[in-house]
Amino acid sequence: MQQDILINWSPQEARVAIVENGAVQELHVERTLERGLVGNVYLGKVARVLPGMQSAFIDIGLERAAFLHVADVWQRQPDGEPPGRPGQPQVPIEKQVFEGQSLLVQVIKDPIGTKGARLSTQVSIAGRLLVFLPQDDHIGISQKIPHDQREALRARLTRLVGAPGGGFILRTNGEDASDDELAEDIAYLRKTWTRIREAATRLPAGSLLHQDLNLIQRVLRDLVTCDTQTIRIDSREQHALLAKFGEEFMPSAAAKLHLYKGERPIFDLYNIDEEIAKALGRRVDLKSGGYLIVDQTEALTTVDVNTGGYVGSRNFDDTIFKTNLEAAHAIARQLRLRNLGGIIIVDFIDMQREDHRDSVLGEFRKQLTRDRVKTMAGNFSQLGLVEMTRKRTRESLAHMLCEPCEACMGKGTVRTARTVCYDILREILREARQFNPREYRVVASPRVVELFLDEESQHLAGLSDFIGKPISLQSESAMGQEQYDIVLL
């Protein structure tokens, strides 16, 4: 599958689009003033230990305290195996950390919404070919490398690592690397860890000890695959910096780097800005005429599949089957495009035939394997729903680019003008029982005032007669439909 990577850079923002066969599959955005924290290493200070939640709040110098769960507190194992194995006894967090303690921690999940960053005490440093685990002695191989090659690669990596001095995991793009390249990466990662430890001895708690690469550098390290044909960037200055960085650390990826000199903006080549606008909407149209409805909430994301205008050509079962098959492709793409994470519920159209359900589920899981983020999908539930999870490490596209509407406060709906009118009538009656003004003045949005002057005029006049006071109206265009003020004159 042909893949192209487009990089649109400006001083305030970097945007990366991954395009496969002419269709945008992934979008990555990093803003200079809102740079992500995942991978950063801090010297934190334990602010509070919560035994009831088996967690602790750690001050790492950010606006909100970060969160450390007992499952993310690293413990050395006698046999050198990584922690977290099934059945392994967990030491309570109150016996591992205490308030005021200085702690070396790494961010594993960015702050999302009202939640602070999530931390781990097991540090991992990513290089071009390897991931270094300085507190461990485990030698691992990427799960994406064929199983029959792993033992030979593990033996080779063990020989290069030499005496125990930290664990290493071979990344997918290190499968064909030479011994010299692997040795260079090992030396670079160990030098980085030495620099982190030295900084931890001289800097105060709350200090940043190590920062991960920026987005356009991570393109070469993390996003380039053997399917990548070209990497095009529209900034001459950043192209020179990225080429220099790539030649030193990722020469094979740097060879695919090109400076885009076209007249049109680089994202216009594949209508990427239009795709971003679509990815912020609820509805996703399918080519067949069906459509998806994507709703993102605090707890989970739901995806509903509908046939829409697709009526098929044979029978009802085939129409539903074809719509669901197309939806399986579209949903997997939307998860990557929107960077949706956490719990996701997919409501495919109900299928009567077992073979149709198996085919749709198989195709859906096949499409999910293309995702570089870890996903896990279950079977159809008794209600015909597919429950799945997708690892969430950073904000979704909508949360990054949008904010709650001031008019509806994020509800997605506002009360009708008539509902607001009746709220105002009740409020005036409540005020009349406590105060004795000369006149009541209602200041409200134009639609509410217009309704009072037309359909609700009789009710307003009746209330005025009942309380024995005049009620005047004042239209205020700056007010939202739910906003109003009652002035006592």
Side-chain angles (χ1 to χ4, degrees), residues 268-281:
D268 285 4
L269 296 180
Y270 295 98
N271 297 319
I272 292 170
D273 285 318
E274 184 180 326
E275 288 291 335
I276 292 174
K278 289 180 181 177
L280 298 177

Side-chain angles (χ1 to χ4, degrees), residues 83-94:
R85 293 173 301 168
Q88 176 185 324
Q90 190 69 256
V91 180
I93 195 164
E94 63 269 24

Side-chain angles (χ1 to χ4, degrees), residues 286-299:
L286 305 177
K287 290 181 179 179
S288 64
Y291 63 92
L292 312 176
I293 296 293
V294 182
D295 283 315
Q296 192 176 351
T297 69
E298 183 75 17

